[in-house]
Amino acid sequence: MVNEINNNLLKYYIETWGCQMNEEDSEKLSGMLKRIGYTRTEDKNEAGIILFNTCCVRENAENKVFGNLGQLKKLKEKNPDLIIGICGCMMQQEGMADKILKQFPYVNIIFGTHNAYKFPEYLNRVKTEGVQIKEIFNKEEEIVEGLPIDRQSDVKAFVTIMYGCNNFCTYCIVPFVRGRERSRKPEDIINEIKDLVSKGYKEVTLLGQNVNSYGKGLENEVSFAELLRMINEIDGLERVRFMTSHPKDLNEDVIKAIKECGKLCEQIHLPVQSGSDRILKKMNRHYTREYYMSLVNKIKQEIPDVSITTDIIVGFPGETEEDFLDTLNLVKEVQYDSAFTFIYSRRNNTPADMMLNQVSEEDKHDRFNRLVEAVNNSVISKNKAYDGKVVEVLVEGTSKNDETKLSGRTRNGRLVNFSAEGVNIGDIVNVKITKAQNFSLVGEAIK
Ligand code: SAH
Ligand code: SF4
Ligand code: F3S
């Protein structure tokens, strides 16, 4: 019995909520734990450490964390040596750590987004001194380079190029929990990607809340377009994606780089948030619908077969039926390849939370349903157009629902499940689409 528990102490379980930034942070937390001798488990019951990396962008993201923390009580009772840690964006909110400790006193470690690199130290103190740790830095520090990282895939990797956000969209909590914009040095980014390529990686996705403002404040300023061109030169790398692009900052240089550089994939995530000028202004987005549409049209014109994806919020304070119809029409006009749709969620201390004319839950849900229908119509019709076409696919693994098939993505980001012989994970193959389904493609590899 004793042995069993000791073994469990060497296993950790990490659960991650939120965006790719958080996923990448979790890969680093996992990398640090592996370096000090722990192994990962996907089963909470056999873990000696359970770590929750949290998100607070919407209320339902937070509710999930609370629900999951409640469930840990039983595990802790069964195994008092279990170490429970909570970190991530949610912890950066004023008062949240104390609220959690009050409600869930069995939590051992709490830290925020700016001090994740200190996790092994905290763990050591909990184990050797038996203390409870709550440490959250209010301000961003220098970027810590060289942390170990345990990546989810052997083919494609996230590479964060900048941290934080300066935009303060009025609905959004991210700038408060992730701090101000700061960019990694280009040489650190290039070295990381070269190292990935030497390990067999074929694709990178560059991450930042607003990648188009990359490079500002660096000793030697480098623009995002320049960085893209430098990355395009890396031998052995096949594909480069990036997200997110703020429409106000995506410029012609970047469009030109995608057009001219073979490794840059034809996919742009361009969150519009709303199709109404009145609401865009209240959101502090710094562009108009007309500007957004002209950008979309330019991208479509310059980059053949490009896919454009987006984020949209319904029910922002003061949004009228007319404003919403502007959004609906914009969705029909752009014909998105995919879109994340959200119901506006009030976030403490954001300007929109203090706006008086909040939209009723009923109207929000009604608009959300209509929006999802319009988005789906557009996504499905874009997908159907691939019937019979030949596409280039990077093989990422076996298909989720059918192990006899392989799975991967087209350059512009479409999921393809296909049959093939003599093809390995990491290969790039041409696939003929035999069936275009609503949200994915089915095909056969061609020699
Ligand atoms: N930096 C990125 C992504 C930020 S969070 C960007 O600017 O696009 C991802 C998405 O969550 C946002 O694009 C927005 O659509 C949505 N979001 C952010 N705050 C929200 C809130 N309070 N309620 C509902 N959706 C929100
Ligand atoms: Fe939030 Fe706006 Fe920054 Fe995106 S750009 S993270 S939506 S404040
Ligand atoms: Fe959530 Fe933080 Fe990302 S709030 S969306 S995990 S930056």
Side-chain angles (χ1 to χ4, degrees), residues 56-75:
C56 54
V57 76
R58 283 169 292 276
E59 195 183 359
N60 55 9
E62 286 187 348
N63 289 342
K64 282 184 204 151
V65 173
F66 283 118
N68 276 270
L69 272 173
Q71 286 166 13
L72 292 187
K73 192 172 181 194
K74 275 210 181 93
L75 282 183

Side-chain angles (χ1 to χ4, degrees), residues 149-379:
I149 183 157
D150 172 38
R151 297 186 187 272
Q152 285 169 31
S153 155
D154 298 326
V155 176
K156 56 177 190 176
F158 292 132
V159 175
T160 301
I161 62 165
M162 59 187 300
Y163 296 88
C165 180
N166 288 355
N167 287 316
F168 291 95
C169 304
T170 52
Y171 49 82
C172 186
I173 200 164
V174 172
F176 300 94
V177 295
R178 286 275 174 178
R180 294 294 66 71
E181 266 178 27
R182 58 244 183 249
S183 296
R184 289 176 72 194
K185 293 193 189 98
E187 56 270 29
D188 289 331
I189 297 167
I190 303 283
N191 286 339
E192 182 177 345
I193 300 175
K194 282 186 176 163
D195 181 54
L196 284 166
V197 171
S198 76
K199 290 176 177 141
Y201 283 84
K202 298 286 167 31
E203 177 180 309
V204 291
T205 301
L206 311 175
L207 297 181
Q209 298 298 349
N210 180 17
V211 287
N212 300 95
S213 66
Y214 171 80
K216 287 181 190 147
L218 284 174
E219 209 172 305
N220 300 312
E221 282 206 2
V222 173
S223 74
F224 181 55
E226 285 165 340
L227 178 74
L228 286 174
R229 286 180 186 273
M230 285 155 77
I231 294 172
N232 186 60
E233 294 300 310
I234 298 176
D235 279 339
L237 182 67
E238 300 282 354
R239 289 176 167 191
V240 182
R241 306 183 190 279
F242 53 84
M243 67 189 304
T244 294
S245 294
H246 194 304
K248 78 177 165 57
D249 294 318
L250 180 86
N251 60 26
E252 233 158 277
D253 293 346
V254 173
I255 299 175
K256 216 163 154 236
I258 300 177
K259 196 175 162 183
E260 292 173 2
C261 301
K263 290 172 189 170
L264 306 189
C265 289
E266 296 78 13
Q267 178 188 21
I268 299 184
H269 187 59
L270 199 64
V272 67
Q273 312 298 359
S274 168
S276 150
D277 281 343
R278 223 173 56 83
I279 297 298
L280 284 171
K281 199 156 188 197
K282 285 180 157 210
M283 286 178 161
N284 193 31
R285 290 290 288 180
H286 295 284
Y287 54 84
T288 59
R289 176 198 177 102
E290 191 187 343
Y291 178 82
Y292 184 89
M293 281 313 303
S294 70
L295 187 59
V296 164
N297 290 331
K298 191 183 290 162
I299 293 169
K300 285 184 179 172
Q301 223 167 48
E302 297 287 325
I303 310 169
D305 220 20
V306 68
S307 74
I308 299 179
T309 59
T310 203
D311 295 349
I312 303 168
I313 298 175
V314 296
F316 183 85
E319 183 189 75
T320 60
E321 173 68 15
E322 205 183 343
D323 293 318
F324 171 69
L325 289 177
D326 285 343
T327 301
L328 214 52
N329 289 335
L330 180 129
V331 166
K332 289 177 187 159
E333 210 176 322
V334 175
Q335 286 291 298
Y336 288 109
D337 294 86
S338 152
F340 297 104
T341 45
F342 304 109
I343 291 177
Y344 168 71
S345 169
R346 294 175 81 160
R347 304 285 68 207
N348 243 348
N349 296 326
T350 57
D353 183 37
M354 292 164 225
M355 292 179 187
L356 293 176
N357 37 5
Q358 301 285 330
V359 174
S360 72
E361 289 303 313
E362 196 187 339
D363 282 346
K364 281 189 197 170
H365 282 95
D366 171 61
R367 288 175 196 168
F368 182 74
N369 293 339
R370 285 147 73 198
L371 177 66
V372 169
E373 195 189 332
V375 164
N376 285 349
N377 286 341
S378 146
V379 175

Side-chain angles (χ1 to χ4, degrees), residues 378-439:
S378 146
V379 175
I380 292 168
S381 85
K382 292 295 280 269
N383 245 8
K384 293 283 179 199
Y386 279 80
D387 220 348
K389 281 194 181 170
V390 174
V391 291
E392 186 201 286
V393 176
L394 169 62
V395 187
E396 292 175 16
T398 47
S399 164
K400 261 192 193 151
N401 301 326
D402 178 357
E403 276 189 9
T404 65
K405 284 203 167 84
L406 292 170
S407 166
R409 286 191 186 265
T410 63
R411 284 182 61 95
N412 64 14
R414 290 195 154 69
L415 181 65
V416 186
N417 291 307
F418 61 101
S419 43
E421 271 167 37
V423 169
N424 295 313
I425 290 171
D427 286 352
I428 289 184
V429 289
N430 285 325
V431 175
K432 186 172 165 80
I433 302 306
T434 51
K435 194 169 157 210
Q437 295 179 322
N438 287 353
F439 301 101

